[in-house]
Amino acid sequence: MQVSQKLAVGAGAFAGALLATALALPAFGQEIGVSSTRIANADQEPANWLTVHQNYQGHRYSRLTEINRDTVGDLRLAFAVGIPGIADGGQLQGTPLVDSGFMYVTNAWGSVIKIDVRDGKRGKILWVMDPGVDVEVSAVHANRGATLWRDQVIVGTIDGRLISTSRETGEITWEQKIGTLVGEAFSGAPLMVNDKIIIGQSAGDWGTRGWVGGYDAGTGDLVWKTHTIPAP
């Protein structure tokens, strides 16, 4: 695992899709902890995107109004940020999370990148959490995002791990090997519900048995597990 404090060069770029005219981001303060209550009331925080589908209903609908039928034609690239790890293969498939002007992006290997986008004019990478996935042996080259919980950002990896990282420092808080059988991988974004991390096993294309598990968000310990595919 590795935490990087500098911009790593990648072949991909994440663009800040902002109006290059008069659009300015609202003033942001310090990040506060993300809870199920905040996610349940996500519509009251249109400037944030706290979970993969924006809310528990999965609407993926933004209530921001600056971009509308009258202004969409004025959209211009405001800035772009090079995302580390894209040169190793894989794609950017994850939904970025945003809280208080800080963006959390995952690359194909489950690295988490924290980007300061508060001024709307440039994106500054603050840290990179690299889980050290062996890109040469990984069958799945994708990650669909992370989840926020309190002061942590939690992500699954394609080599069978669940990792919690400090949102402040980028240091790994805990790590659990949750894939117990050969080939089990986790490319989907976890969902945080009542201090539990819900995540499903993703490698069904490779002949593994599907299941969904709930894990304690503070430790990564297994709380429950249910198979979605019957046993042979």
Side-chain angles (χ1 to χ4, degrees):
M1 303 100 184
Q2 175 181 346
V3 176
S4 173
Q5 297 295 334
K6 62 182 180 180
L7 175 64
V9 177
F14 189 86
L18 301 172
L19 285 174
T21 52
L23 175 60
L25 291 175
F28 294 105
Q30 293 294 316
E31 295 171 290
I32 60 177
V34 174
S35 63
S36 292
T37 300
R38 283 188 70 193
I39 295 175
N41 295 282
D43 289 344
Q44 299 178 19
E45 300 184 43
N48 293 323
W49 197 275
L50 303 178
T51 191
V52 60
H53 297 304
Q54 198 267 335
N55 57 22
Y56 288 131
Q57 290 73 33
H59 293 161
R60 300 185 71 90
Y61 173 74
S62 173
R63 292 179 178 271
L64 295 176
T65 59
E66 289 91 344
I67 301 174
N68 53 49
R69 292 180 179 179
D70 297 328
T71 61
V72 67
D74 298 324
L75 280 173
R76 300 292 185 272
L77 177 67
F79 61 82
V81 179
I83 298 300
I86 305 303
D88 295 323
Q91 304 171 358
L92 291 177
Q93 298 186 11
T95 298
L97 303 178
V98 178
D99 188 17
S100 303
F102 296 96
M103 180 177 290
Y104 300 87
V105 181
T106 60
N107 67 14
W109 316 112
S111 296
V112 180
I113 300 98
K114 180 178 181 178
I115 308 172
D116 186 345
V117 296
R118 287 176 294 179
D119 68 5
K121 299 177 182 178
R122 63 186 294 265
K124 179 182 179 182
I125 291 183
L126 300 180
W127 52 254
V128 176
M129 187 286 289
D130 182 352
V133 170
D134 188 344
V135 301
E136 299 296 329
V137 300
S138 298
V140 182
H141 298 171
N143 183 281
R144 279 86 184 200
T147 192
L148 301 177
W149 176 76
R150 296 186 181 177
D151 61 350
Q152 303 290 305
V153 54
I154 300 173
V155 67
T157 66
I158 54 180
D159 61 1
R161 289 176 288 160
L162 191 62
I163 300 174
S164 181
T165 301
S166 167
R167 293 167 61 188
E168 178 65 26
T169 67
E171 298 289 343
I172 292 176
T173 305
W174 55 255
E175 175 182 327
Q176 295 278 11
K177 179 72 171 179
I178 63 173
T180 57
L181 299 177
V182 175
E184 290 188 334
F186 303 89
S187 61
L191 182 67
M192 191 277 293
V193 181
N194 294 333
D195 297 334
K196 303 296 185 295
I197 303 302
I198 315 300
I199 192 168
Q201 203 277 115
S202 306
D205 295 353
W206 304 93
T208 61
R209 187 181 179 194
W211 55 264
V212 177
Y215 297 84
D216 186 291
T219 63
D221 292 336
L222 178 66
V223 178
W224 57 264
K225 181 177 181 180
T226 183
H227 285 90
T228 58
I229 301 296

